Amino acid sequence: MPAALRVLHAAAEVFPLVKTGGLADVVAALPVAERAAGCDARLLLPGYPAILDALRTPRTVCEAGPAFGALRVRLLRGRLPDTDMPAYVIDAPYLFRRAGGPYLDAAGAEWPDNAQRFALLGWLAAHLAAGDADDRWQPDVVHAHDWHAALACTYMAGHAATRARSVFTIHNLAFQGLFPLPDAALLNLPSRWLTSDGLEFHGQLNFMKAGLVHADLVTTVSPTYAREIGTVEFGCGLEGVIRARGASVVGILNGIDDQQWDPAMDPALAARFSAQDLAGKLACRRALQQELGLDVDDDALVLTIVSRLSAQKGLDLVIASLEPLVQAGVQLALQGTGDPALEAAFRMAMDAHPGRVQARMEWDEDRAHRLVAGADAIAVPSRFEPCGLTQMYGLRYGTVPIVRRVGGLADTVVDATPEQLADGTATGVVFDAATPASFERAVRRALELRRSPASWRAMIQQGMQAPLSWAGPAQAYLDLYASGG
Ligand code: ADP
Ligand code: GLC
C-alpha cells in the first residue's frame, strides 16, 4: 500500500476551542474527514491559551525562537481533545498567550502585532514543509486557510529545497490581512516580493495576496464564489490577481460536521427528530419560544438568524422589513454578535415587539443548535457569502433556508419555484436583489408555502436528506492534492 499522503492544515481557529465563525468549523471537520479517507492530515495552530491548555500529550518537537519578536518559540506536537486529531501548536507566549480573541483584544481592537503573530504561523508551516521542524514528520502538502496562514505559501516559495506543494483556501476575501509595507522587514520577506506582482497592494502589505500569488493551487469554499471573486463586485480589489490564476482557482463546497449537527442525536435539544419522525421538531419549536420569551404560538413562522452581525450578512434588510413581517405573523429569534449598530437595532426591535422578536447578543453554541432546530425557517440574506454553513445546518434540521442567490447560498439551496416544488427538488426560498422589499417578498413566500403543510413537509424532508457531509468535499480535496496543480 502506498504511504498515506501527509497534509498539514495551517489555520488560526478551530472549533470548539477558538471560534469566530465558519472557518473554525471547517478546520475542525475537514482534516478529520481527510483522515477517514486514508490521508495523514494534521493541524498547525497558534498557541492561544485555549488551545495550549486543551492539547493532550504535548511534546516539544523543536525550539524555533527567537522569531518575529518572540524570544521563546517552541513547536509542540500533541492531540486535540474529542477528535484525537494530531496537532502542532506554536507555543510563543509573547505572541499568543493573551486574554482576548484570536485577532482582536478584549476592547475589539486588532492586536498591533498581528503581522508578526500570523507570519509566525506561516513560517513554521514552511519549516515543517522543509523538514527542519519535526524530524519525524514532513508534509507533502501544506493547506493554508485564509490570510492568517497565507504567508506559508510565500515562505515555501522562498525555500528552494521544499518539495511540498501549497494549497491556499480563501474562506473570505473581505479579510485580507493588510499591514504597513515596512512591516515586511520584520517578517523575513525579501524586497523582491514587495512589488505589485507580489505582496504589495495599494502601498500596503497584503497577506491574502501572498496565498493568491504563491500557492501552487488556490481554492475557495463554493463554485459560485470561485466565479464571483473574479469580478469587481466580489473581488475586493483582488479580482485581477484571481483572474490571473485562471483555472487554478477551484471552488469546493464545504460540508458540515454531521456528528455535531445531527437532529437525531443532538444533546442540546429539548427533543430529537429525523426526516422520518418530525414530532420532536414541534417540541423543539415550543421549547425555543418558551426559552426566549416568544409567544407560544403554533401559527407564527419562527424565523431564526444565527450569525456574525456584520455588513456581509445583509441584516440591515431584516431590520428594514421587520415591522411588516411581524404584522404578517413572523417571529424573529436571533443570536449574533458584532457590529454595535446592528446589535442596537435588534435590541430596539425586541423592545418594540417582545413576544414576536427576541435577540441574544452573547454567543452560546448550544443555543445556536436550539435556534436552528426550533425555527421554521432560517434567514441568510448575505450581500456576499463564500459558502455559509448556517443554511446547511438549517437544511439538516428541517429549517427552511431563506437565502440570497450569492456564493455558497446559491449552491446549497434549491428555490421553491413551482417547477422545483412539483419535481420535489425544492429545499428553500432564494431571492436576488439585496433590498428590504425583495427580502420581505421572500419571507412572504415562505409564509405562503407553509400554508400548504404537505408541500412544506416535502420541502423540509428533501432538505434534511441533502448530502451535506464532509466525505464528498474531503475526497475532492484529496483528488486536488493528487492532481499536482
Ligand atoms: P461566517 O464564517 O461568515 O460567520 P458561516 O455560516 O460559514 O459564516 O459560519 C458561521 C459559524 O459560526 C456557524 O457555526 C455559526 O453558528 C457560528 N457563529 C456565527 N456567529 C458567531 C459568533 N458571533 N461567534 C461565534 N460563532 C458564531
Ligand atoms: C467564511 C465565510 C463563510 C464560510 C466560512 C467557512 O467565514 O464568510 O461563508 O462558510 O468562511 O468556509
Side-chain angles (χ1 to χ4, degrees):
M1 215 173 97
L5 189 77
R6 287 162 301 196
V7 179
L8 181 72
H9 288 270
E13 40 186 285
V14 64
F15 174 83
L17 302 173
V18 175
K19 164 162 166 168
T20 70
L23 173 65
D25 293 8
V26 173
V27 172
L30 169 61
V32 172
E34 288 182 343
R35 286 182 79 82
C39 147
D40 180 3
R42 302 185 181 192
L43 287 173
L44 172 67
L45 300 162
Y48 319 112
I51 292 183
L52 276 179
D53 294 349
L55 190 69
R56 296 190 0 235
T57 60
R59 304 242 184 298
T60 302
V61 293
C62 81
E63 298 280 348
F68 302 105
L71 276 182
R72 219 193 79 208
V73 179
R74 284 187 315 168
L75 186 65
L76 309 177
R77 187 184 57 221
R79 295 207 174 237
L80 296 185
D82 305 330
T83 54
D84 221 29
M85 170 57 66
Y88 292 93
V89 173
I90 305 167
D91 183 17
Y94 177 72
L95 294 173
F96 295 126
R97 257 214 183 267
R98 334 179 150 159
Y103 320 119
L104 310 178
D105 66 19
E110 302 209 352
W111 294 113
D113 52 357
N114 272 347
Q116 288 96 318
R117 297 171 77 234
F118 294 109
L120 180 60
L121 177 64
W123 191 72
L124 279 172
H127 275 284
L128 279 160
D132 54 21
D134 181 357
D135 51 22
R136 290 171 50 186
W137 195 82
Q138 187 177 0
D140 304 305
V141 174
V142 170
H143 189 154
H145 296 268
D146 260 355
W147 73 263
H148 326 104
L151 281 189
C153 309
T154 298
Y155 293 130
M156 284 169 72
H159 203 291
T162 298
R163 291 219 305 278
R165 275 168 296 120
S166 55
V167 176
F168 178 62
T169 295
I170 306 163
H171 292 265
N172 194 335
L173 205 54
F175 299 101
Q176 298 181 0
L178 296 173
F179 301 97
L181 202 54
D183 279 9
L186 307 170
L187 309 180
N188 303 338
L189 291 170
S191 53
R192 71 187 148 92
W193 280 330
L194 304 179
T195 62
S196 59
D197 295 340
L199 278 52
E200 186 271 343
F201 181 71
H202 301 293
Q204 289 188 289
L205 176 64
N206 185 324
F207 274 39
M208 176 70 82
K209 237 184 129 188
L212 299 180
V213 172
H214 288 130
D216 294 313
L217 289 161
V218 179
T219 78
T220 188
V221 288
S222 70
T224 296
Y225 194 60
R227 287 191 297 277
E228 288 171 342
I229 56 180
T231 67
V232 176
E233 188 183 355
F234 294 98
C236 302
L238 291 171
E239 55 279 1
V241 185
I242 306 249
R243 279 203 305 271
R245 296 292 317 232
S248 80
V249 183
V250 177
I252 297 178
L253 197 63
N254 286 333
I256 61 172
D257 185 331
D258 50 14
Q259 308 270 307
Q260 291 291 332
W261 291 93
D262 178 359
M265 305 285 284
D266 192 332
L269 308 186
R272 272 149 285 279
F273 56 93
S274 64
Q276 292 70 38
D277 181 5
L278 282 166
K281 185 159 172 77
L282 181 61
C284 286
R285 185 180 190 283
R286 290 183 181 149
L288 179 67
Q289 287 171 323
Q290 264 157 0
E291 174 182 347
L292 297 180
L294 291 167
D295 301 339
V296 179
D297 168 358
D298 287 345
D299 291 331
L301 177 100
V302 180
L303 180 66
T304 191
I305 293 174
V306 176
S307 182
R308 288 185 294 115
L309 304 183
S310 84
Q312 170 186 348
K313 301 294 178 179
L315 300 174
D316 50 316
L317 310 183
V318 180
I319 302 273
S321 52
L322 199 52
E323 190 70 43
L325 287 174
V326 164
Q327 301 309 327
V330 168
Q331 287 186 338
L332 179 68
L334 172 142
Q335 171 165 291
T337 62
D339 181 350
L342 285 169
E343 289 193 7
F346 283 113
R347 274 204 190 91
M348 278 171 65
M350 180 160 77
D351 290 345
H353 308 281
R356 314 302 292 182
V357 177
Q358 285 293 325
R360 296 292 178 273
M361 317 297 182
E362 325 75 46
W363 193 258
D364 177 333
E365 190 72 24
D366 282 349
R367 189 167 54 207
H369 285 237
R370 291 194 291 277
L371 284 161
V372 173
D376 299 302
I378 181 165
V380 194
S382 306
R383 293 205 142 68
F384 67 94
E385 196 60 75
C387 178
L389 298 174
T390 59
Q391 83 282 6
M392 293 199 262
Y393 299 151
L395 287 171
R396 189 106 210 279
Y397 279 59
T399 302
V400 172
I402 301 176
V403 304
R404 203 166 154 244
R405 200 187 315 273
V406 283
L409 301 172
D411 293 340
T412 50
V413 181
V414 181
D415 189 25
T417 60
E419 299 75 30
Q420 289 171 156
L421 277 172
D423 68 19
T425 55
T427 57
V429 176
V430 185
F431 66 98
D432 285 286
T435 61
S438 176
F439 175 69
E440 183 184 332
R441 269 197 305 278
V443 180
R444 286 183 186 278
R445 275 174 64 207
L447 278 162
E448 191 54 43
L449 286 161
R450 192 160 163 272
R451 292 200 184 101
S452 311
S455 64
W456 183 258
R457 193 185 176 87
M459 193 157 80
I460 285 176
Q461 286 172 329
Q462 175 71 9
M464 291 180 87
Q465 285 156 2
L468 302 172
S469 89
W470 270 106
Q475 191 55 53
Y477 279 111
L478 296 190
D479 293 346
L480 184 81
Y481 304 150
S483 74

